[in-house]
Amino acid sequence: MPKLRLAVLGSGAGTNMQSILDAIAGGTLDAEVVCVISDVADAPILERARRHNIPARFLSAAPYKTKLEGPAEEAYIQAIREVGADTVVLAGFMRIVKPGLLAAFPGRVLNIHPALLPAFPGLHSWKQALDYGCKVAGCTVHFVDAGTDSGPIIVQRTVPVLEGDTPETLHARIQAQEHLAYPEALRLLAAGRLSIRGRTVAIA
Ligand code: GAR
């Protein structure tokens, strides 16, 4: 299998991207991060990428606030194609991606979500789980489809919700599992072991 060429899109700290870089450096993931793009000019993920000598750029997604569409979507597609990426990794990218991007990279756009989907799609999912009184929470890596956090699931990892948890302590526990889940999902993809059958991802 040729090594994966990953374009990472993120809006925040970039700890999931870091876990992917660590897996690559540690020899457990056969991939290369060929670019990092953020819709937030001063997002720490950009600085983190540059420290690893990865081309990193801010690309505005204006005028929209919550989605990637229109000319901005075109610019993202072009930037991702330009570096020869074959897989788009959404790692804390806080926008809904639209059919244009999905059509440009069919079956090759992945996302990580801080909840056990289909529970708690959308924002601040760990807080939703806490407020709901869940005893178990977790994270999901999934292929992206045209819905919100609704695509076929590749990997899920669970954590307990503990007495006295705050949104912050629960999010931290979930994030520790995210950092295992994303490299794991990408390892399966890199090995050619994933196929999408309807809603289900078969793992060979
Ligand atoms: C992660 O917890 C990720 O699951 C979440 O944003 C955080 C990004 O952290 N994503 C979403 O909520 C998407 N709806 P990071 O920048 O440190 O990887």
Side-chain angles (χ1 to χ4, degrees):
M1 299 287 297
K3 127 176 358 183
L4 293 181
R5 293 178 62 79
L6 308 175
V8 177
L9 274 50
S11 310
T15 64
N16 277 287
M17 178 199 66
Q18 186 71 57
S19 73
I20 293 165
L21 292 176
D22 291 347
I24 294 170
T28 61
L29 174 60
D30 195 20
E32 184 183 349
V33 176
V34 292
C35 72
V36 173
I37 306 175
S38 182
D39 60 327
V40 177
D42 59 355
I45 192 172
L46 291 174
E47 194 42 48
R48 204 189 272 270
R50 289 181 191 124
R51 282 204 298 274
H52 290 269
N53 296 317
I54 295 163
R57 61 197 280 200
F58 160 64
L59 260 185
S60 168
Y64 304 112
K65 296 223 180 308
T66 59
K67 61 182 178 179
L68 182 65
E69 205 168 28
E73 182 188 52
E74 278 308 313
Y76 271 70
I77 293 170
Q78 197 188 323
I80 295 166
R81 285 203 171 123
E82 224 164 71
V83 291
D86 53 43
T87 304
V88 180
V89 173
L90 307 182
F93 188 62
M94 301 309 282
R95 287 178 183 270
I96 310 288
V97 298
K98 292 292 185 177
L101 183 95
L102 299 177
F105 306 99
R108 304 294 295 194
V109 183
L110 281 71
N111 182 44
I112 188 151
H113 184 75
L116 295 173
L117 292 170
F120 312 126
L123 293 177
H124 305 118
S125 309
W126 58 90
K127 187 168 182 309
Q128 293 187 55
L130 195 59
D131 291 347
Y132 197 86
C134 293
K135 300 298 187 200
V136 175
C139 63
T140 303
V141 181
H142 62 94
F143 286 111
V144 177
D145 68 7
T148 302
D149 301 324
S150 59
I153 291 168
I154 304 168
V155 169
Q156 292 186 302
R157 295 183 71 94
T158 60
V159 301
V161 180
L162 302 178
E163 190 77 35
D165 258 338
T166 62
E168 291 71 30
T169 58
L170 180 56
H171 190 205
R173 194 174 307 120
I174 291 171
Q175 280 219 300
Q177 295 305 310
E178 291 186 0
H179 300 157
L180 301 174
Y182 227 155
E184 185 184 340
L186 290 168
R187 249 190 311 277
L188 293 168
L189 184 71
R193 293 178 57 193
L194 301 180
S195 46
I196 303 174
R197 306 210 180 120
R199 272 224 51 86
T200 300
V201 176
I203 301 178

